Amino acid sequence: MNIWILIIALVVVIGIVFCLIRSQYERGKLVVSNYDIEVTKLGKEWDGFTMAVLADLHDHSFGENNRELIRAIDGIHPDCILIAGDMLIVKEWKKQDMSVPFSLLETLSKEYPIYYGNGNHEQRMREEKEKYPGWYEQYEKKLQELQIHHLQNEGIMLQKGTSKVAIYGVDIDKRFYKKGKKVPMEHNYIERQIGTCNKELFNILLAHTPLYVEEYEKWGADLVFSGHFHGGTIRLPKLGGVMSPQCQFFTKRDRGIVSYGKVKMVVSGGLGTHSINIRLNNLPEVVVVRLRCKDT
């Protein structure tokens, strides 16, 4: 009997070691995920418009100065870069060090227009100033210097020909990031944050958490970019991601395209990790979305 216990224990230990080695390998690799989104609101001049989406870098570097990530983006040559939040780690146990996102953004901003929406880590800097004195001001100043469009509950208009695209970034209260529970969002909350949606336009929303797709659709978003769930951390065949950083299990909203009503939400599996430094069957990804415009 004892020998079988030892064998089982040995198998478990070998399995854990294998998973840790595999996770370390995966965290250093990149995959580019391509999606085509059909659009009827825009003219043909927008056909093929390409957006590279980055989310949840969390201070991770793919090669020295993120050269592998930059090489991947240069290979896409997008019309713009969209950031769906959490490019750095903001935690009590983490010393202030913004060098990784600053270095990456400085390089990318020389080549591409960048539209940046906050995640809960950026918001933490702004809302908890006693814990993180001066962090947010330093971060925001750098984004301004790099001429990055930092969309803090605001939008910006892009125009080609006679048709326009509106890109909004929404910040939601930290109560909506409560672990293990989806806190109900009040009626018209998104509208109170960023204003009324002009539904005649094609509206892109940078909304860090994918948990509230119903509210994003109700506001009037046509296309949402989210992250936050880190692809579910560990992905299982047919079941998908196991657990989000908010301790939601098997949400089906952790990676890929989610359709709800009239909106399509593209959820990035993210690029880095922080407190739970594990990825299994869940490679870090750069999301690429191309608009495919057709006549109504």
Side-chain angles (χ1 to χ4, degrees):
M1 182 66 177
N2 289 338
I3 188 67
W4 284 110
I5 293 175
L6 289 174
I7 290 172
I8 292 170
L10 181 61
V11 169
V12 170
V13 170
I14 291 172
I16 291 173
V17 171
F18 171 80
C19 287
L20 291 174
I21 293 172
R22 175 66 190 183
S23 175
Q24 181 68 25
Y25 167 80
E26 286 196 18
R27 284 187 286 141
K29 294 296 179 181
L30 270 175
V31 65
V32 176
S33 301
N34 291 276
Y35 302 100
D36 286 358
I37 301 290
E38 287 193 352
V39 178
T40 58
K41 283 186 175 182
L42 297 174
K44 287 292 185 181
E45 59 269 23
W46 286 95
D47 190 59
F49 186 80
T50 302
M51 297 165 282
V53 186
L54 308 180
D56 300 290
L57 181 67
H58 289 303
D59 292 322
H60 189 70
S61 189
F62 295 89
E64 186 177 359
N65 295 321
N66 258 311
R67 63 174 181 268
E68 294 177 25
L69 177 55
I70 293 167
R71 186 182 299 122
I73 293 171
D74 286 342
I76 300 160
H77 199 72
D79 293 289
C80 68
I81 293 172
L82 304 179
I83 294 177
D86 281 8
M87 294 295 279
L88 72 171
I89 297 173
V90 181
K91 289 281 192 177
E92 290 182 349
W93 48 262
K94 176 75 163 56
K95 291 183 179 180
Q96 182 183 14
D97 182 2
M98 303 177 180
S99 58
V100 171
F102 281 177
S103 173
L104 174 65
L105 293 171
E106 186 167 358
T107 300
L108 293 177
S109 64
K110 293 175 183 177
E111 300 294 332
Y112 312 103
I114 300 176
Y115 304 93
Y116 193 127
N118 284 334
N120 57 302
H121 282 247
E122 288 92 350
Q123 286 180 235
R124 189 173 293 139
M125 288 190 290
R126 185 180 64 193
E127 296 173 2
E128 301 179 26
K129 292 185 184 295
E130 291 185 1
K131 290 183 182 178
Y132 312 102
W135 286 36
Y136 194 75
E137 290 77 10
Q138 180 182 347
Y139 201 74
E140 190 173 22
K141 180 180 178 182
K142 184 65 173 181
L143 297 186
Q144 290 174 350
E145 289 175 359
L146 297 177
Q147 297 184 319
I148 290 171
H149 304 279
H150 194 191
L151 303 177
Q152 306 167 84
N153 282 333
E154 58 187 315
I156 192 169
M157 205 76 66
L158 308 183
Q159 184 165 355
K160 285 178 175 285
T162 59
S163 51
K164 298 178 182 179
V165 167
I167 303 176
Y168 288 87
V170 64
D171 296 346
I172 62 174
D173 297 341
K174 64 181 179 181
R175 60 195 167 97
F176 295 117
Y177 289 103
K178 186 178 179 64
K179 292 188 182 297
K181 179 181 179 180
K182 181 182 178 182
V183 175
M185 188 174 280
E186 307 92 284
H187 178 66
N188 288 340
Y189 176 83
I190 301 297
E191 183 174 313
R192 294 202 303 272
Q193 293 296 96
I194 57 177
T196 302
C197 177
N198 182 350
K199 297 183 181 181
E200 297 299 315
L201 303 178
F202 184 77
N203 294 289
I204 294 173
L205 183 62
L206 303 177
H208 184 60
T209 174
L211 202 56
Y212 293 95
V213 63
E214 296 89 350
E215 286 75 12
Y216 307 151
E217 193 264 353
K218 190 177 297 183
W219 173 75
D222 297 289
L223 180 59
V224 176
F225 292 106
S226 295
H228 187 52
F229 280 10
H230 297 187
T233 309
I234 298 170
R235 298 190 66 78
L236 301 179
K238 296 185 179 180
L239 296 177
V242 174
M243 183 183 75
S244 80
Q246 282 184 245
C247 300
Q248 283 93 10
F249 295 88
F250 301 104
T251 67
K252 304 299 182 184
R253 295 180 179 182
D254 46 41
R255 188 167 181 145
I257 292 184
V258 175
S259 296
Y260 180 85
K262 296 180 180 180
V263 71
K264 288 191 181 298
M265 180 171 68
V266 182
V267 184
S268 168
L271 291 160
T273 58
H274 53 94
S275 304
I276 303 174
N277 294 312
I278 296 174
R279 281 182 176 270
L280 282 175
N281 195 29
N282 181 28
L283 289 174
E285 72 172 342
V286 177
V287 171
V288 180
V289 170
R290 293 179 178 85
L291 301 182
R292 299 301 180 191
C293 303
K294 62 177 185 177
D295 297 329
T296 56

